[in-house]
């Protein structure tokens, strides 16, 4: 694999957010550019919270920046400044990928597409399944969209703050009237209930360095699961996944979601879909970066 020189034709892409110091996105995109022989460079742009995002996008456009990822805290705030917003980004209420047009930028949400891919490559289909979402924030919204799109059989939203679960329920019901939705408290998950559930862990509980925490601690809950997905990738195996695995469920961590949100953005920008070897190589680079960071 040879590193391409930056020259007068190099297309510039990047990530805007605050902070951006620990981002793994340059590793994904610059490696894909090397692997696929595309003349692009991907850079971090520190855009502080509270910035005039209209001015930022105008400047980026004037400089000819071809596309950007958008991360915390701008995923929602950037939306009013876009020319078009894709259906999954609208449903998720957030944009994480921008594509340049003649006159501005279009917005996509590859967190949704990355989660979708991570579920699909685990051999799981949501169609007709009972799905429990733990959490009701941005990641849960992405998962809820997939439950509607893929026609899940039923959706349970369990969250610490009941009002946030109710709000997400109302949004899902408005978008997918045929999908039965119920809200629960986290404590409700410890009561006996339905089995053969797919769980998607969408809270920040268990995230490094608080790795000894899980949003549900009752082992009986995990016995009701066939598959457990975590959206956290640091640590690579969370306590939630360990408990689910111990109870006999198949488990998938968030690293694949991170990998595929990047690869989907790359695909939107270049039209090139990563093959298995490329995805595997980049995944091992991400694992190495995460190990280095401790
Ligand atoms: P993201 O975009 O990563 O989903 P978010 O929108 O801030 O982040 O959502 C975070 C989710 O984690 C929420 O569901 C939040 O619950 P609340 O709605 O009650 O805030 C959940 N969460 C965060 N910390 C938690 C904790 N200590 N215990 C339980 N749930 C927690």
């Amino acid at each position: 694999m040879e590193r391409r020189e930056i020259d007068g034709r190099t297309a510039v892409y990047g990530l805007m957010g605050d902070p951006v110091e620990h981002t793994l996105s340059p590793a994904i995109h610059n490696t894909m550019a090397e692997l696929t022989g595309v003349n692009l460079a991907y850079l971090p742009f520190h855009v502080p919270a509270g910035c005039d995002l209209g001015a930022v996008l105008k400047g980026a456009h004037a400089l000819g920046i071809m596309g950007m990822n958008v991360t915390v805290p701008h995923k929602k705030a950037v939306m009013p400044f876009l020319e078009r917003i894709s259906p999954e980004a609208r449903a998720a209420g957030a944009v994480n990928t921008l594509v340049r047009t003649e006159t501005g930028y279009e917005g996509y949400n590859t967190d949704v597409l990355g989660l979708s891919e991570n579920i699909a490559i685990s051999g799981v289909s949501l169609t007709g399944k009972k799905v429990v979402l733990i959490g009701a924030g941005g990641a849960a919204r992405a998962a809820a969209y997939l439950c509607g799109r893929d026609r899940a059989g039923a959706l349970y939203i369990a969250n610490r703050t009941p009002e946030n679960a109710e709000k997400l329920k109302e949004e899902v019901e408005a978008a997918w009237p045929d999908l039965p939705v119920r809200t629960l408290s986290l404590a409700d998950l410890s009561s006996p209930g339905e089995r053969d559930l797919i769980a998607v862990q969408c809270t920040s509980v268990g995230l490094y360095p608080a790795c000894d925490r899980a949003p549900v601690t009752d082992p009986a809950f995990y016995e009701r699961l066939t598959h457990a997905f975590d959206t956290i990738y640091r640590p690579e195996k969370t306590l939630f996944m360990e408990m689910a695995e111990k109870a006999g469920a198949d488990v998938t961590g968030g690293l694949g979601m991170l990998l595929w949100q990047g690869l989907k953005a790359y695909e939107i920008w270049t039209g090139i879909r990563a093959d298995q070897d490329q995805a595997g190589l980049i995944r091992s680079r991400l694992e190495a970066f995460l190990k280095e960071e401790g």
Side-chain angles (χ1 to χ4, degrees):
M1 194 164 55
E2 210 174 290
R3 186 162 199 94
R4 182 188 265 277
E5 289 299 327
I6 289 177
D7 61 22
R9 291 193 177 82
T10 302
V12 179
Y13 290 80
L15 167 77
M16 53 184 262
D18 180 18
V20 289
E21 285 85 353
H22 297 287
T23 177
L24 298 173
S25 293
I28 299 177
H29 296 288
N30 292 320
T31 306
M32 271 304 280
E34 286 167 32
L35 292 170
T36 58
V38 174
N39 189 4
L40 69 78
Y42 183 100
L43 303 166
F45 295 108
H46 179 220
V47 174
C51 253
D52 177 350
L53 291 179
V56 169
L57 291 195
K58 234 179 168 169
H61 193 267
L63 289 170
I65 293 175
M66 297 305 289
M68 274 196 280
N69 285 133
V70 181
T71 189
V72 178
H74 304 310
K75 286 187 185 188
K76 247 188 225 306
V78 79
M79 292 174 81
F81 303 103
L82 303 177
E83 294 203 316
R84 196 185 77 87
I85 292 172
S86 69
E88 83 287 340
R90 202 166 281 293
V95 159
N96 83 324
T97 300
L98 306 182
V99 178
R100 190 177 198 275
T101 68
E102 281 284 297
T103 45
Y105 289 96
E106 292 178 341
Y108 295 81
N109 188 312
T110 67
D111 292 330
V112 175
L113 305 176
L115 178 60
S116 175
E117 192 72 30
N118 204 29
I119 292 171
I121 57 183
S122 305
V124 173
S125 158
L126 300 179
T127 308
K129 303 283 170 44
K130 291 167 283 185
V131 181
V132 184
L133 301 186
I134 305 172
R141 237 169 215 91
Y145 169 79
L146 296 178
C147 290
R149 188 197 69 180
D150 296 352
R151 300 188 175 281
L155 179 60
Y156 304 100
I157 303 170
N159 196 50
R160 176 180 61 178
T161 309
E163 298 78 44
N164 294 343
E166 277 304 319
K167 185 163 181 295
L168 179 55
K169 175 179 187 260
E170 281 165 22
E171 286 173 27
V172 174
E173 283 174 338
W176 314 100
D178 294 339
L179 174 61
V181 188
R182 258 184 65 198
T183 58
L184 303 166
S185 69
L186 292 177
D188 288 338
L189 294 179
S190 297
S191 310
E194 290 186 83
R195 303 187 67 84
D196 298 330
L197 303 169
I198 294 175
V200 189
Q201 201 299 105
C202 301
T203 76
S204 48
V205 180
L207 181 66
Y208 178 87
C211 306
D212 58 345
R213 300 190 53 213
V216 188
T217 50
D218 184 349
F221 165 68
Y222 295 93
E223 282 164 18
R224 294 160 54 201
L225 310 181
T226 58
H227 206 120
F229 291 93
D230 208 321
T231 54
I232 291 175
Y233 59 84
R234 210 163 168 241
E236 211 175 327
K237 192 179 262 181
T238 58
L239 179 58
F240 172 81
M241 290 163 67
E242 274 173 17
M243 292 187 79
E245 197 169 56
K246 210 166 164 194
D250 291 331
V251 299
T252 304
L255 191 63
M257 180 178 171
L258 171 79
L259 170 71
W260 280 99
Q261 66 73 32
L263 295 178
K264 287 286 174 188
Y266 191 83
E267 188 177 339
I268 290 171
W269 290 330
T270 64
I272 302 173
R273 186 186 153 87
D275 64 26
Q276 264 191 4
D277 290 347
Q278 292 162 345
L281 188 131
I282 293 172
R283 190 186 167 106
S284 49
R285 281 200 170 183
L286 296 182
E287 283 169 354
F289 272 114
L290 290 170
K291 274 205 186 86
E292 249 170 57
E293 287 213 328

